[in-house]
Amino acid sequence: VANIEILTIGDELVEGRLVDTNAPWLSARLVEAGFQVTHHQSIPDDRDMIIAALRSSAARADALLVSGGLGPTSDDITAEAAARAFDRVLELNQEALDHVVSLFARMGRRMTSNNKKQAWLPAGTTLIPNGRGTATGFCLEGEGTPIYFLPGVPHELEAMFERFVLKALRERFNPEHTLVSSLHTFGLGESKVGSLLEPLTVPSPGRLRVQYRAALPEVHVRLCLSGFDEGDPAGLRTLETVAEEAASRLGRAVFSRQEESLAQTVIRLLKSRGETVATAESCTGGLLGATLTEVPGASAVFMGGIVSYDNRVKRQQLGVPDQLLEQYGAVSEPVTRVLAEQARRRLETTYALAITGIAGPGGGTPNKPIGTVCLGIAAPRGVSTRTVRFPGDRNRVRLFSAYAALEMLRRALIELESSDTGQD
Amino acid sequence: VANIEILTIGDELVEGRLVDTNAPWLSARLVEAGFQVTHHQSIPDDRDMIIAALRSSAARADALLVSGGLGPTSDDITAEAAARAFDRVLELNQEALDHVVSLFARMGRRMTSNNKKQAWLPAGTTLIPNGRGTATGFCLEGEGTPIYFLPGVPHELEAMFERFVLKALRERFNPEHTLVSSLHTFGLGESKVGSLLEPLTVPSPGRLRVQYRAALPEVHVRLCLSGFDEGDPAGLRTLETVAEEAASRLGRAVFSRQEESLAQTVIRLLKSRGETVATAESCTGGLLGATLTEVPGASAVFMGGIVSYDNRVKRQQLGVPDQLLEQYGAVSEPVTRVLAEQARRRLETTYALAITGIAGPGGGTPNKPIGTVCLGIAAPRGVSTRTVRFPGDRNRVRLFSAYAALEMLRRALIELESSDTGQD
C-alpha cells in the first residue's frame, strides 16, 4: 500500500490560530481510496524548515501532499523553498501567469505585482489548475517522490485534489480498487456502533475496512471494500450484502445510506409525502428550527415555530393552561403535549415537534436533574410524548434534544412509509 | 525563546477520522505564555513510528508535548514506546495504580485488568495527575529534553496542561513574563482588523505581539506584552494604554474586552438594565434564538420568539398584512418592521429583533440577490430597520444575519448606556 504524508505550512497553524482541517480531510479521502497515511506535519512559513521537512518526507514517503504558502504575500514562500529543496531554479511559469491574469480580468479587478509572484514556480513542474482562486498548484518529483503542492484554502484544495491529485496518485500507484458504502446513524455512541459492527467479514477475495467518524451527534460509518476489480459486479454485490448486514445490526439507528444529515433525511421524507412540520421549542431556543433550515429547500416543508422560552410565551402564544404549568412544571409531558398540539394547530401543519428540558448548568432538581428533556410529536393520528435524559453539558443536551426530536419525526414517517407499502 | 514541539498520537488522527484540536489549543496557550512552537506532528499508534518521532523531536526541540495513546486498550502503546525510545524499563507505578484504583472506587465501577495496564510507565518518570480520567500523564527526560505525555481527551489534557505542564515549563525555561489583553470584535474581517492594528507599538522596554483568531463570525485579538517583570505596575499601565489604543482604532467593532461572545455581551447588558428581548426570524429559522440561548442564564432576558419561515406564519402569528407582502415581498424593510413591532408587542418584551433574508442557494433575484438580508429592531423609542448584503454561502449568510441582529441590539443598548451616563 502506497504510503502518503501530508505537510501543511503556515504560521497560523503552528501558533494555534487556525485548526488544520486540510490534513484530516485529505487523509480521509486517501484512506478511502486505498492509500495509507502515516504522518501529518505542520510547520511555519520558514524557508529552512520547509526545505528540511520536504526533504525528510520525500525520502520517507511514497508521495507527499503539501498545502499552504502559495499566496501572494511575502510570507508565502513554499514555491521558493521547494525549488531550493530539490535544486531547481525558480522561473516565471507562463501558464500560471496566464491563469492569474485571466482570473483578474474575469473578476474585473486589478492585478498587483504580488499576484504575479504567484506565477514563479520551480522549473520542470506540472501545473495543477485552480478553478477557484489565484494560487496555482503544482507537482514536482523530489528525490523520486511525487510532491503535490496545493493552496491552503480548503475549498480550493478540495476541488484540486478531487480533479487532479487523486487521479494522478491512482495512475501512479494503482491502489486496490475500493468500493465505499456509507451508513449515517444517530442514537448510538461511536464505541457502541463499533462493537456492533466489530466482527463484520466478507467472503474472499473481498477485504473490508470499517471507518467511523463522529459528526456529533451523528456517527458516520464507511464500509470500504477492496479485493475486487473495478466494474466487477461481484464487488458491488458483496458491498451491498455487507452494507445490508451492517444496517441490520445497527437497526433503527441508521437514518441514511445516502450521505445525508438527519435533517436532510427528514425533509426528503416530508417532501415526498407532501407534508409539513412546525416546532415549539423551549430549552433549545430555536436550535431545532435552525437545524431544519440549514438544509436548502427546507421552506417546502418547514412552516415555522414558536420559541416559548419563558412560561408566559408558553401560555400566551401556545395556550398552555396555568394549571398545567403549576401542577406538572414546564418540563413535563403534559405541557409538552399541549405545546406540540397547539403548534400543529396554530401553524396548520401536518406535524409539530415540541421540546422542553433542563439544559443546565442551573435548574436541575432531584426529580428532574440537568439533562431531563421532554419531547413531543403531534401528528394527524394524535400526540405522543416521552422523557429522556441526556448526559453532558448545556450545548450537548440542547444538540441531542434537537436531533432526538428530528428522530421522532423520522421514525413516525418511516412507519407510515412501511404501512403504506404494506397496503399496496 | 524556548522552542516547543507537539506530537499527537492516534490512528484516528492520521486517518482523518478526528480533527486534531489538541495541537492548536496547546500552541495558542504556549505562544501566549512566551514560548515558540515550530512543529506539530501526528502519527499512528505504531511503536516504531512513535519511537522515531520521539527521538527526532527530542533531539531538535527544547521541550516536547505529546498527547494520546495513554488509554486502557491494546492500541494504546505510547508509554511502552517512550520507554523503548529512551532505554528505560517499563514498571508498575504504584502512585499511578493508586490513582486508577481510587477513581474506580469513587465512580462505583469495577476496574478491569486493562485499566491496570495504564499504571505501567517508564522508570524514572514524574507523574502528571489527571483529575478527570484514568490516564495518568507523565514527564521524562529524553536526551536532555523534557517530554510531557498527556492523554488525548481534550478536557483532561487542558486541565493537566494548565495545572502542571505550563508551570513546569515556566520554571525550567523562565520565558519572558507576558501580559495579555483581549478584544473581541464583530463586523470587520480578520485582514481588516490586522491592517488597522498593524503599526501598533509600545514604549521600551515593552514588546508587543498581536495575535488574531477567527472565531467565525467574530474575530478575536490578543495583545501579548512582554518586557516587564511580573507585578511591575508599568507593565499593566502599558498594556492598558495599548489596549485602549487598539480599541479606539477598531472603534465600534469591539464588543467585549472580557473574553465574552457577542450573545454573552448582549445578555449581560440586558440583565444590567432589567430588560428583555424577543425574536422574529425568517431566513435564520431559529438560529438567533439558538445563539442567545447558548448562554447560561439567557432565560432572565430572552422570552422567546416566532420563527415565521413561511409567509402564512408571518401573517397569522405576527399580523403582517397581505398587502405588505404582495407590495414589497417578505424580504423588505416594511415587512421586517412589522415583524419586529409585533414580536415586541405579542411577546411583551422591551426589544424585539427581526430577520428576513435570502440565504440561498435559491431565491435570489436581480433586485434582491442571494445574501440580501433585512434586519429590524423594535425598542420603546420606535422601530428601525436596515438592509445589508452578506457574501458567502447559505450557512454564512444565516450566521452573519443572526450576529448582525445581535449587534444592532448591542449598539442600541450601548447608546442608552452612554446617554444614561450623560444624564448622571
Side-chain angles (χ1 to χ4, degrees), chain B residues 330-352:
Chain B
V331 180
S332 65
E333 296 194 34
V335 167
T336 307
R337 167 177 292 271
V338 177
L339 293 177
E341 270 172 354
Q342 290 293 318
R344 178 172 178 270
R345 183 174 307 166
R346 294 180 187 214
L347 275 67
E348 300 176 18
T349 52
T350 323
Y351 306 95

Side-chain angles (χ1 to χ4, degrees), chain A residues 13-14 16-17 27 38-42 44 212-213 285 289-290 293 303-305 307 310 312 316 347-348 394 398, chain B residues 13-14 16-17 27 39-42 44 212-213 285 289-290 293 303-305 307 310 312 316 347-348 394 398:
Chain A
L13 298 173
V14 283
R17 288 182 277 127
S27 283
T38 53
H39 222 119
H40 293 177
Q41 272 187 96
S42 300
Y212 306 95
R213 195 180 168 111
T293 55
M303 297 297 106
V307 179
D310 192 75
R312 201 179 60 213
Q316 294 180 356
L347 275 67
E348 301 176 17
R394 180 178 181 86
R398 283 156 44 91
Chain B
L13 298 173
V14 283
R17 287 182 278 128
S27 283
H39 222 116
H40 292 176
Q41 273 186 95
S42 300
Y212 305 94
R213 195 183 167 110
T293 55
M303 296 298 105
V307 180
D310 192 76
R312 200 179 60 211
Q316 294 180 355
L347 275 67
E348 300 176 18
R394 180 179 181 87
R398 284 157 42 91

